[in-house]
């Protein structure tokens, strides 16, 4: 069994992503409005919002929560960057989550935050933990699934929503997990076709 925490190199992309989120938070509100996911603007052709909206946050607490989550994922799964670079994970999950919200969540007119993408990154890593025999991979996977099921039945946490000054978009978390599972499937198929080991 390998240890759950992986101290291999690969922290750089995570620091860059965190830095981008911090810089986006410091932009004037008028500029942030150009990049936030807004359904009406996406429908009119502003496709960049499918990605850029995930880098924005509703307030400082929101940024700190997602920043902390990103750092935990970095400590757990930075070593997997040779399987699939963080850039491609971010791009795929952001587009998938925003697209599913656009088509299946007509009530969500505006969305900002990295939490959906973080769920995708974490679930992708958890599945790879199981595949590579890391301690705790099964528990992490089950924990994520339990959280998603709980959210779907209980709805958004009102206290957390008050803290971040926004309704928690629980379906973005669900879509992120779907994205993580799809990315894991891609890596498995690619490894099988190339006849390369995952670890």
């Amino acid at each position: 069994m390998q240890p759950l925490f992986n101290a291999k190199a690969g922290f750089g992309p995570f620091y860059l992503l965190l830095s981008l989120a911090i810089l986006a938070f410091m932009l004037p509100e008028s500029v942030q409005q150009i990049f936030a996911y807004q359904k009406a603007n996406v429908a009119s052709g502003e496709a960049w919002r499918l990605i850029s909206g995930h880098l924005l946050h509703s307030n400082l607490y929101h940024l700190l929560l997602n920043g902390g989550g990103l750092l935990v994922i970095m400590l757990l799964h930075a070593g997997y960057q040779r399987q699939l670079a963080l850039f491609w994970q971010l791009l795929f999950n952001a587009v998938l989550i925003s697209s599913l919200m656009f088509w299946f969540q007509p009530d969500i007119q505006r969305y900002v935050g990295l939490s959906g993408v973080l769920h995708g990154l974490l679930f992708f890593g958890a599945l790879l933990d199981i595949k590579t025999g890391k301690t705790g991979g099964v528990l992490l996977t089950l924990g994520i699934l339990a959280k998603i099921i709980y959210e779907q039945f209980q709805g958004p946490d009102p206290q957390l929503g008050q803290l971040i000054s926004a309704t928690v978009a629980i379906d973005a978390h669900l879509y992120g997990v779907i994205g993580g599972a799809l990315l894991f499937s891609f890596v498995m198929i690619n490894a099988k076709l190339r006849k390369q080991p995952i670890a």
Side-chain angles (χ1 to χ4, degrees):
M1 283 281 202
Q2 299 181 45
L4 182 61
F5 284 91
N6 194 330
K8 291 181 181 178
F11 290 179
F14 290 88
Y15 289 137
L16 177 60
L17 177 56
L18 181 58
S19 298
L20 287 174
I22 293 171
L23 288 173
F25 182 74
M26 296 170 65
L27 292 172
E29 180 64 25
S30 58
V31 178
Q32 290 190 31
Q33 292 302 319
I34 299 172
F35 296 104
Y37 169 91
Q38 298 192 78
K39 186 179 175 68
N41 296 86
V42 172
S44 67
E46 298 178 5
W48 68 84
R49 294 175 182 269
L50 296 172
I51 300 168
S52 60
H54 295 271
L55 294 174
L56 299 172
H57 291 85
S58 56
N59 62 20
L60 181 59
Y61 292 113
H62 195 195
L63 176 63
L64 291 174
L65 284 171
N66 282 341
L70 180 63
L71 292 177
V72 169
I73 294 170
M74 179 187 76
L75 292 173
L76 286 171
H77 299 140
Y80 289 143
Q81 291 309 297
R82 69 186 183 89
Q83 272 78 27
L84 190 61
L86 181 65
F87 172 79
W88 295 113
Q89 294 182 58
L90 174 65
L91 186 65
F92 177 83
N93 280 308
V95 172
L96 178 72
I97 293 166
S98 295
S99 298
L100 290 176
M101 283 196 301
F102 182 86
W103 290 110
F104 298 112
Q105 305 294 140
D107 55 313
I108 299 180
Q109 295 297 313
R110 186 179 189 276
Y111 173 83
V112 294
L114 202 56
S115 62
V117 170
L118 293 181
H119 278 73
L121 297 178
L122 186 60
F123 196 64
F124 170 74
L127 293 174
L128 282 175
D129 281 343
I130 295 174
K131 182 66 178 178
T132 56
K134 283 190 172 57
T135 304
V138 172
L139 288 177
L140 182 57
T141 301
L142 292 176
I144 296 168
L145 292 175
K147 177 181 182 294
I148 293 299
I149 293 170
Y150 177 81
E151 287 181 337
Q152 289 298 310
F153 279 100
Q154 293 297 317
D157 183 340
Q159 291 182 328
L160 180 57
Q162 188 175 16
L163 182 67
I164 66 173
S165 300
T167 301
V168 179
I170 57 173
D171 288 316
H173 301 168
L174 171 63
Y175 298 151
V177 167
I178 293 171
L182 291 173
L183 287 175
F184 174 77
S185 300
F186 168 77
V187 168
M188 291 299 100
I189 293 169
N190 186 57
K192 188 171 183 179
L193 291 175
R194 297 189 177 203
K195 298 181 180 179
Q196 294 178 342
I198 295 299

